[in-house]
Amino acid sequence: MNILLVDDEPLELEQLEYLIQKKFPNWKFFKAHDGSQALQIVKQHDIFLAFLDIQIPGKSGLELAKELTRSYSMDIIMVTAFQNFAYAQTSIRLGVVDYITKPIIEDELMAVLSKYERLGRYSEQIVNALKIIHQEYSEKLTLSYLASKIHINPAYFSRKFQEEVGVGFSEYLNEYRLKEAQKMLIEFPDMSISTISERCGFNSQHYFSQIFRKMTGQSPRDYRLRETFH
């Protein structure tokens, strides 16, 4: 898998590569010091995951993230020296999957990367399918649409997804949407439950609340209250 690291501080780039490579020795790393270098790399290579520092010369990391999410399908993690809630909110609005703060703590980085552990064992088709799910979970995603995007037969794709991922496509999609909803409930305390439900790709607030309760044992409202004042 191709990984992009963007930071204008060479030592920070080296440290990030070193820490990630320890865990994922087979990943291939591309490094850039600013937005224009990063865009050149993205045009030439199929990048799966990008770490973007917010404070880089020229375009900011957030501006770069906006451009990348608009034109490419990849997971983006923001890296920032500022523990600023506004940055976090902007990042999540842009579709960024997570963010970590500097100085980078190895345990925190590994926690963010834990969801990619199984990807090393997935076929390229399933990796591409997961990438689309992570980018387009807020849309009306169907198994047929996903199969057509990765150019395989829907029945074969359904079987392959179940075999490799260990759960069915619909179950995985719902679980991913619910995890995103959990993040939004905390990050956006003033956003209504129905808006979060809609932004996470659920057809109705009732259905969202139903499966949220099934997964967490509580309603979205109770979850928000408990986590906010925890």
Side-chain angles (χ1 to χ4, degrees):
M1 275 198 320
N2 294 333
I3 312 301
L4 173 64
L5 310 177
V6 186
D7 197 314
D8 61 332
E9 297 175 40
L11 284 175
E12 298 281 355
L13 279 179
E14 280 177 33
Q15 187 208 14
L16 191 53
E17 181 181 14
Y18 169 75
L19 291 174
I20 300 171
Q21 205 163 35
K22 271 204 311 186
K23 181 77 173 172
F24 300 99
N26 298 325
W27 286 7
K28 187 174 181 184
F29 293 87
F30 295 89
K31 291 178 280 191
H33 298 288
D34 58 35
S36 59
Q37 261 188 351
L39 287 169
Q40 284 305 312
I41 291 168
V42 169
K43 283 173 189 168
Q44 292 164 17
H45 303 277
D46 184 18
I47 300 294
F48 179 79
L49 176 64
F51 283 80
L52 311 182
D53 185 44
I54 285 183
Q55 298 292 105
I56 50 175
K59 281 181 208 286
S60 74
L62 290 173
E63 288 170 324
L64 179 59
K66 192 174 183 180
E67 195 165 333
L68 291 176
T69 51
R70 194 169 54 228
S71 309
Y72 300 93
S73 175
M74 71 180 72
D75 279 9
I76 294 175
I77 293 168
M78 301 306 300
V79 183
T80 175
F82 305 98
Q83 296 192 344
N84 185 316
F85 198 61
Y87 278 145
Q89 288 185 317
T90 307
S91 298
I92 289 167
R93 233 181 352 255
L94 289 173
V96 166
V97 298
D98 222 322
Y99 65 98
I100 52 175
T101 54
K102 291 180 178 179
I104 291 167
I105 297 163
E106 189 170 356
D107 287 351
E108 287 179 12
L109 176 62
M110 291 308 130
V112 167
L113 288 171
S114 62
K115 70 176 180 179
Y116 299 102
E117 277 189 67
R118 293 187 63 179
L119 289 179
R121 303 198 293 274
Y122 293 153
S123 64
E124 192 179 344
Q125 289 166 322
I126 295 302
V127 167
N128 288 337
L130 292 173
K131 197 155 68 165
I132 295 165
I133 290 171
H134 296 175
Q135 288 296 316
E136 301 183 27
Y137 68 90
S138 59
E139 308 296 327
K140 285 184 178 175
L141 278 184
T142 65
L143 189 135
S144 301
Y145 165 77
L146 215 50
S148 72
K149 290 277 279 188
I150 58 171
H151 314 295
I152 60 174
N153 171 277
Y156 173 68
F157 169 62
S158 177
R159 193 167 64 249
K160 194 173 177 62
F161 194 97
Q162 177 77 46
E163 282 170 6
E164 291 193 31
V165 183
V167 295
F169 159 72
S170 296
E171 191 181 341
Y172 181 89
L173 176 60
N174 274 341
E175 282 180 7
Y176 191 83
R177 284 171 166 168
L178 284 169
K179 281 175 189 161
E180 293 303 309
Q182 283 177 299
K183 277 197 275 187
M184 290 182 80
L185 284 163
I186 309 306
E187 301 285 359
F188 302 100
D190 297 327
M191 190 179 283
S192 72
I193 306 288
S194 65
T195 302
I196 289 174
S197 159
E198 196 179 314
R199 287 197 181 181
C200 290
F202 291 100
N203 289 332
S204 74
Q205 186 184 335
H206 175 70
Y207 176 64
F208 166 62
S209 297
Q210 210 174 30
I211 67 166
F212 192 97
R213 186 182 286 278
K214 193 175 172 185
M215 179 184 161
T216 65
Q218 55 194 327
S219 70
R221 190 168 280 103
D222 288 345
Y223 175 86
R224 172 183 264 167
L225 284 169
R226 189 175 69 84
E227 292 298 322
T228 305
F229 298 105
H230 193 56

